[in-house]
Amino acid sequence: MKISAIIMASGLSKRMGENKLLLDFNGKKLYQWTFDMIEKVGFYDVILVSSYEEILNDAKKRGFKAIFNDKNEVGKSASIKYGVLNCDKDSAMMFFVADQPLLTLETVNKLIEAYKKNEYVTYPRTEKRRGAPVIFSNEFREGLLALEFDQGGMLLVKDNDKNEVYIDDIKELWDVDTYRNLEELEDARK
């Protein structure tokens, strides 16, 4: 079974005023936590979609497919489309965000195992919320390619079967949108 990792790293970081993915988090740039973890999984391939040269260059050095997103102002649908168009048509797609540094390899492996048992849309959740990464089968390709603006793939899930993989620590689902979020993540990591 083929599963491709698609890392979305094209956000504009409007609330922060600078590229949050290049900020330091415990000795590494924020996005590098995602890259390092994904390298340990053994995906069929890894596709990085970004508008930022430094991140694209790092991806290339690691052997990822580095896809330049020249439409990041459109919203996350542009990154999703570039990712889908650059992965094998027979491959399932596991979408990651690049600002979720507390996500663990254990959780990613649990998601993959759940998907292998039932090829439904698969994502992590806690008692309070669902999160990323999310796995879609190749049957969702056309729906993902039809998304617009800031629409995400979960829009397609409503009436479909799904695997909700419960995790204990909600902090794994935290991402960074503000400096306060970054401070909360640093406190949680201690």
Side-chain angles (χ1 to χ4, degrees):
M1 170 182 302
K2 296 184 210 173
I3 301 176
S4 297
I6 299 172
I7 307 166
M8 300 186 302
S10 297
L12 298 172
S13 303
K14 288 180 181 176
R15 287 174 269 192
M16 296 194 76
E18 66 179 304
N19 187 345
K20 64 185 175 183
L21 299 177
L22 300 178
L23 295 175
D24 179 75
F25 179 75
N26 286 355
K28 293 194 256 188
K29 293 182 180 177
L30 189 60
Y31 78 89
Q32 290 175 324
W33 290 90
T34 301
F35 280 23
D36 291 349
M37 189 264 306
I38 284 174
E39 285 183 310
K40 297 174 185 170
V41 176
F43 285 104
Y44 174 73
D45 60 357
V46 178
I47 299 146
L48 175 275
V49 181
S50 184
S51 303
Y52 304 105
E53 202 63 38
E54 180 176 340
I55 297 171
L56 289 161
N57 288 337
D58 191 355
K60 288 175 192 171
K61 287 177 189 168
R62 295 170 187 249
F64 301 169
K65 288 183 191 174
I67 308 302
F68 179 70
N69 181 354
D70 59 349
K71 295 184 170 115
N72 66 340
E73 74 286 344
V74 169
K76 70 178 127 184
S77 66
S79 289
I80 292 168
K81 289 176 185 181
Y82 278 125
V84 171
L85 290 170
N86 284 282
C87 89
D88 190 288
K89 289 183 179 177
D90 297 331
S91 186
M93 299 155 283
M94 188 168 192
F95 287 88
F96 290 83
V97 294
D99 64 342
Q100 198 175 341
L102 300 183
L103 179 66
T104 65
L105 180 61
E106 178 185 2
T107 292
V108 171
N109 286 330
K110 278 186 191 176
L111 293 167
I112 292 169
E113 288 308 310
Y115 180 80
K116 286 179 177 179
K117 288 178 187 170
N118 293 304
E119 293 182 22
Y120 302 143
V121 174
T122 302
Y123 53 86
R125 81 163 299 116
T126 65
E127 292 297 320
K128 296 185 179 198
R129 65 175 274 208
R130 64 176 165 75
V134 181
I135 307 174
F136 291 92
S137 73
N138 60 1
E139 293 172 11
F140 282 87
R141 282 181 69 86
E142 294 308 313
L144 292 166
L145 290 171
L147 294 172
E148 297 180 309
F149 306 109
D150 219 25
Q151 292 177 325
M154 291 305 288
L155 184 72
L156 307 172
V157 177
K158 293 178 183 165
D159 296 326
N160 292 293
D161 290 325
K162 52 193 165 275
N163 293 317
E164 294 185 317
V165 176
Y166 280 82
I167 62 171
D168 294 325
D169 192 351
I170 194 169
K171 290 177 249 173
E172 285 194 62
L173 305 182
W174 288 359
D175 61 352
V176 176
D177 292 316
T178 65
Y179 287 105
R180 181 165 170 78
N181 294 150
L182 188 61
E183 289 170 9
E184 291 168 346
L185 282 167
E186 286 169 348
D187 290 343
R189 181 109 173 126
K190 292 177 184 174

